[in-house]
């Protein structure tokens, strides 16, 4: 179990982590989300004893990392895929780690095989791709068969097979009762992997809840209905004072009205609805909504009309500003198709 | 906030494998020997010591020729060269093993600088300190590894350089050399000088966390400061220059100190150890108390 209590880290005037507290329980995958510069990596580094907190504590199974008798079998961490000497082979790198705790050589071979690096283990790290570096970093994290696993952006640079492997690995570790803390910017991936979420912005905790509870924060009570008698049904909804908008040629996106009520209205008026789908917000949408004001580094908006990039606060006079939630993933692929996680 | 339900995790298969200093020492030894650059540098250090021993061997022959040919001696005296007695030339021969140490000492220190500073340059330090969160343990292990390395190569290369240089020396001189008259002690002096340079290098490497910066500091302390103090017109400056690390190193590896020498071997070793221990200690403090980035 990882316990962060009133943790603060300051660099001069800048507060990177601001009095945060959360617990990462055993047997769960906890996603650690936040914009760039939010303080995720700093928090993870403090958990691993690489940075001293200005105040507060970061404990692993109730102890400071530096006081652990067997650090590698207590916590395995991937914090930086490039944290290896490029002049050494992957095998030598892992053996140097194994020697510190007296792990047998066969364990090194096991994690190499587990991470799919057998073919390149004897090659120098400088020839590794980012994905191979990530796999090597994960191999190092798993070396001691640790009870707690901390992975900072583990799927960066991984191919699809690798992404699925990391997801399955996280779920497998959690199923063994282990603690898994993963940070990632890939919301779709996180939504499939994490049980709980800790969201951080500008060094402060924005949310700490289960995935289900987090998605409910969207306040997104919308229902998509489709009918061949759209105009008739729309007219009725207008009379009832219900807000809605048209979707394609036969759909209505109705707000703040339960699906059961809509079906009942239609039945009373003998209107056939051939789809009634309550909408569930995606993790990305809730996350973007929550962290919009907490982003440290703002990107310019891409103006599709002329291909120019407009800085935030500029005057994008032509195309309307894109909803950040729709910039990376088409909402149509998730609206109505995604079950709750 | 969510109430967290905790389950008992499966115990790690390796929970009984504790972090140990012996393990860290073996790990650092593996890390040291698996870097090609260290082997290349070792060959360069060996080459420097052997080649300079050969050069000194040739110079010894030249000096010996002055003792056998009065005309050559007169010509040399005109050029300002100081003719040596045969005994003096034999003493020079005993010191063949450490002939190249003025240059090699900085290369040895550079290996130590790179051993620790490259960990920061490559971010390997994050992995190292994750595996071994007790930072003092890591630093001490690194210090021991570079000390053993420097001591061994200092001794071995001094011995090789001695024998290779001796092969070039005129037989009339070589036959007067008595192997039992302290040659091995001279190699030991070279080994100690070499080891103390490794301390200095490791200290500067840890202090600056930068390969080039650490090496520059070594060069400044060993060469530049000596030259600067020698150029000062004040007596205190020239007096102080006698206690600078390069002068101490030269004393340690010199053979046959005069009876009235101001600084003996032990004093020189002690003063050089102090010069080396200070950067090593400062490096330790930086390593121990400043977080890696």
């Amino acid at each position: 179990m990882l316990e962060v209590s009133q943790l603060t880290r300051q660099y001069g005037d800048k507060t990177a982590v601001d009095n945060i507290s959360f617990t990462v329980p055993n047997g769960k995958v906890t996603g650690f989300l936040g914009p760039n510069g939010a303080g995720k990596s700093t928090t993870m580094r403090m958990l691993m004893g690489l940075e001293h907190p200005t105040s507060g504590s970061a404990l692993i199974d109730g102890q400071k990392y530096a006081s652990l008798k067997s650090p590698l079998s207590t916590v395995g961490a991937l914090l930086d895929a490039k944290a290896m000497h490029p002049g050494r082979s992957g095998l030598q790198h892992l053996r140097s780690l194994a020697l510190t705790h007296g792990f047998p050589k066969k364990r090194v071979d096991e994690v190499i095989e587990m991470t799919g690096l057998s073919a390149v283990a004897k090659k120098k790290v400088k020839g590794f791709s980012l994905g191979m570096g990530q796999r090597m970093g994960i191999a190092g994290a798993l070396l001691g068969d640790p009870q707690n696993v901390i992975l900072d952006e583990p799927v960066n640079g991984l191919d699809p097979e690798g992404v699925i492997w990391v997801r399955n690995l996280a779920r497998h570790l959690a199923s063994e009762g282990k603690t898994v803390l993963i940070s990632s910017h890939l919301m779709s991936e996180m939504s499939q992997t994490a049980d709980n979420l800790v969201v951080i912005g500008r060094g402060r905790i924005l949310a700490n809840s289960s995935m289900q509870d987090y998605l409910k924060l969207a306040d997104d009570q919308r229902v998509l209905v489709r009918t061949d008698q759209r105009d008739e049904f729309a007219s009725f909804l207008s009379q009832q004072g219900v807000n809605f908008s048209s979707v394609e040629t036969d759909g209505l996106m109705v707000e703040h009205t339960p699906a059961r009520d809509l079906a009942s209205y239609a039945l009373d008026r003998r209107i056939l609805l051939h789809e009634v789908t309550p909408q569930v917000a995606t993790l990305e949408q809730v996350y973007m909504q929550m962290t919009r004001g907490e982003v440290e580094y703002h990107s310019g908006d891409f103006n599709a009309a002329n291909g120019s990039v407009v800085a935030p606060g500029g005057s994008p006079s032509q195309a309307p500003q894109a909803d950040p939630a729709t910039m990376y993933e088409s909402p149509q692929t998730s609206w109505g198709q995604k079950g709750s996680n | 906030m969510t109430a967290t339900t905790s389950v008992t995790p499966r115990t790690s298969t390796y929970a009984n494998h504790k972090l140990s200093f012996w393990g860290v020492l073996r790990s650092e030894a593996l890390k040291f020997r698996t870097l090609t650059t260290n082997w290349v540098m070792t060959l360069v250090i060996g080459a420097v010591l052997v080649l300079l021993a050969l050069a000194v061997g040739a110079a010894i022959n030249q000096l010996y020729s002055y003792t056998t040919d009065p005309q050559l001696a007169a010509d040399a005296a005109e050029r300002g060269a100081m003719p040596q007695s045969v005994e003096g030339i034999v003493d020079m021969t005993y010191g063949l093993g450490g002939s190249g140490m003025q240059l090699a000492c900085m290369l040895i220190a550079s290996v130590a600088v790179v051993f620790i500073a490259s960990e920061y340059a490559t971010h390997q330090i994050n992995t190292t300190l994750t595996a071994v969160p007790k930072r003092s343990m890591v630093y001490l292990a690194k210090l021991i590894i570079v000390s053993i390395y420097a001591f061994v190569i200092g001794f071995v290369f001094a011995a090789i350089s001695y024998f290779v240089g001796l092969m070039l020396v005129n037989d009339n001189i070589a036959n007067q050399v008595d192997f039992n008259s302290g040659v091995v002690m001279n190699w030991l002096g070279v080994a100690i000088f070499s080891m103390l340079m490794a301390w200095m290098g490791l200290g500067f490497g840890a202090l600056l966390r930068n390969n080039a910066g650490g090496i520059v500091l070594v060069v400044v302390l060993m060469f530049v400061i000596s030259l600067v103090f020698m150029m000062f017109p004040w007596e205190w400056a020239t007096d102080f220059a006698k206690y600078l690390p390069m002068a101490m190193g030269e004393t340690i590896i010199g053979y046959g100190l005069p009876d009235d020498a101001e600084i003996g071997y032990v004093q020189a070793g002690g003063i050089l150890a102090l010069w080396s221990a200070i950067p090593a200690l400062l490096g330790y403090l930086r390593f121990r108390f400043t977080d890696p980035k």
Side-chain angles (χ1 to χ4, degrees), chain B residues 238-280:
Chain B
T238 46
D239 282 347
F240 182 69
K242 292 175 192 167
Y243 296 92
L244 287 172
M246 184 59 93
M248 296 300 95
E250 286 171 351
T251 302
I252 294 173
I253 62 172
Y255 182 87
L257 284 183
D259 294 337
D260 59 347
E262 279 183 48
I263 305 168
Y265 289 119
V266 175
Q267 291 96 325
I271 294 169
L272 181 59
L274 196 62
W275 276 110
S276 300
I278 289 170

Side-chain angles (χ1 to χ4, degrees), chain A residues 1 26 45 49-52 65-66 69-70 80 82-83 85 88 96 101-102 124 144-145 176-178 209-210, chain B residues 2 6-7 9-10 12-14 17 19 23 27 30-31 34 36 122-124 126-127 130-131 134-135 291-292:
Chain A
M1 181 182 288
N26 295 335
R45 286 171 64 82
L50 293 173
E51 295 201 26
H52 288 97
Y65 189 70
K69 301 284 184 210
S70 181
D80 178 0
K82 295 287 183 187
H85 198 297
R88 226 170 258 133
S96 74
H101 289 59
K124 292 204 168 159
D145 185 25
E176 290 187 318
K178 298 186 176 187
S209 67
S210 69
Chain B
T2 297
S6 193
V7 295
R10 178 178 66 75
S12 166
T13 314
Y14 302 100
H17 290 252
L19 177 67
S27 168
L30 175 77
K31 283 158 74 175
T34 50
T36 311
T122 61
H123 296 188
Q124 164 78 37
N126 289 328
T127 306
T130 298
K134 293 174 172 50
R135 298 180 187 179
D291 296 328

Side-chain angles (χ1 to χ4, degrees), chain B residues 15-238:
Chain B
N16 293 328
H17 290 252
K18 309 291 185 200
L19 177 67
S20 69
F21 182 68
W22 174 241
V24 177
L25 205 58
R26 290 181 69 202
S27 168
E28 290 300 326
L30 175 77
K31 283 158 74 175
F32 188 87
R33 71 171 186 267
T34 50
L35 286 182
T36 311
T37 48
N38 287 342
W39 291 103
V40 172
M41 281 299 286
T42 303
L43 289 176
V44 171
I45 291 164
V48 165
L49 283 168
V50 169
L51 288 174
L52 284 170
L54 286 170
V56 171
I60 285 170
N61 288 344
Q62 185 71 33
L63 287 172
Y64 178 66
S65 68
Y66 298 157
T67 65
T68 55
D69 187 336
Q71 184 57 47
L72 282 175
D75 292 346
E78 273 183 24
R79 294 197 304 272
M82 290 288 290
Q84 296 269 344
S85 65
V86 172
E87 290 75 22
I89 295 170
V90 171
D91 279 356
M92 282 180 69
T93 309
Y94 286 125
L96 274 172
S99 305
M101 272 304 284
Q102 282 186 328
L103 186 56
C105 70
M106 279 175 288
L107 298 175
I108 291 163
S110 301
V111 171
V113 168
V114 172
F115 185 47
I116 195 159
S118 68
E119 291 233 3
Y120 289 92
T122 61
H123 296 188
Q124 164 78 37
I125 192 70
N126 289 328
T127 306
T128 300
L129 295 182
T130 298
V132 189
K134 293 174 172 50
R135 298 180 187 179
S136 303
M137 202 184 260
V138 175
Y139 192 81
L140 186 60
K142 283 186 182 293
L143 187 68
I144 289 173
I145 295 301
V146 293
S147 297
I148 293 171
Y149 161 80
F151 188 91
V152 169
I153 66 158
F155 191 87
V156 170
F157 284 143
I160 294 171
S161 303
Y162 172 80
F163 287 116
V164 171
L166 194 63
M167 287 193 295
L168 197 69
V169 172
N170 188 297
D171 285 347
N172 292 331
I173 295 294
N175 290 338
Q176 294 186 50
V177 170
D178 177 9
F179 186 74
N180 295 319
S181 59
V183 176
V184 175
M185 289 301 287
N186 181 254
W187 300 346
L188 203 58
V190 173
I192 290 170
F193 184 19
S194 176
M195 184 184 76
L196 295 177
M197 290 307 298
W199 291 11
M200 187 185 288
L202 192 80
F204 283 141
L207 196 60
L208 268 69
R209 301 179 173 184
N210 178 282
N211 291 337
I215 293 168
V216 166
L217 271 188
V218 170
V219 173
V220 166
L221 186 57
M222 294 304 290
F223 259 146
V224 179
I225 288 183
S226 296
L227 289 173
V228 169
F229 271 87
M230 294 297 277
M231 289 191 313
F232 283 148
W234 309 293
E235 194 178 338
W236 67 264
T238 46

Side-chain angles (χ1 to χ4, degrees), chain A residues 176-309:
Chain A
E176 290 187 318
K178 298 186 176 187
T179 306
V180 183
L181 179 66
I182 299 186
S183 80
S184 178
H185 287 123
L186 295 181
M187 296 297 138
S188 56
E189 188 51 40
M190 193 60 84
S191 67
Q192 294 182 68
T193 310
D195 302 302
N196 296 337
L197 287 177
V198 175
V199 184
I200 185 172
R202 293 186 189 272
R204 284 168 291 134
I205 296 287
L206 302 178
N208 178 8
S209 67
S210 69
M211 180 70 79
Q212 282 183 328
D213 289 346
Y214 185 73
L215 294 177
K216 286 178 188 167
L217 295 174
D219 187 26
D220 200 19
Q221 299 167 28
R222 295 191 291 179
V223 178
L224 174 66
V225 294
R226 290 186 190 275
T227 171
D228 295 334
Q229 300 156 273
R230 187 174 78 171
D231 292 343
E232 189 182 338
F233 196 53
S235 173
F236 168 74
L237 291 176
S238 296
Q239 289 168 15
Q240 300 299 313
V242 174
N243 290 328
F244 61 87
S245 57
S246 300
V247 175
E248 297 169 0
T249 56
D250 60 348
L252 295 171
M253 188 67 75
V254 186
E255 298 178 6
H256 301 293
T257 307
R260 173 178 284 274
D261 291 355
L262 291 171
S264 178
Y265 295 155
L267 180 64
D268 291 348
R269 278 147 194 82
R270 300 192 60 76
I271 294 173
L272 174 67
L273 301 182
H274 54 81
E275 181 179 347
V276 181
T277 312
Q279 302 299 292
V280 178
T282 64
L283 174 61
E284 182 174 89
Q285 288 162 339
V286 183
Y287 169 82
M288 292 303 292
Q289 196 176 6
M290 178 172 278
T291 61
R292 193 163 292 155
E294 306 293 338
V295 177
E296 183 94 348
Y297 307 104
H298 290 271
S299 308
D301 300 317
F302 184 71
N303 188 332
N306 58 14
S308 65
V309 174

Side-chain angles (χ1 to χ4, degrees), chain A residues 72-88:
Chain A
L72 288 184
S73 66
T74 310
V75 196
L78 164 69
L79 298 181
D80 178 0
K82 295 287 183 187
M84 292 174 272
H85 198 297
R88 226 170 258 133

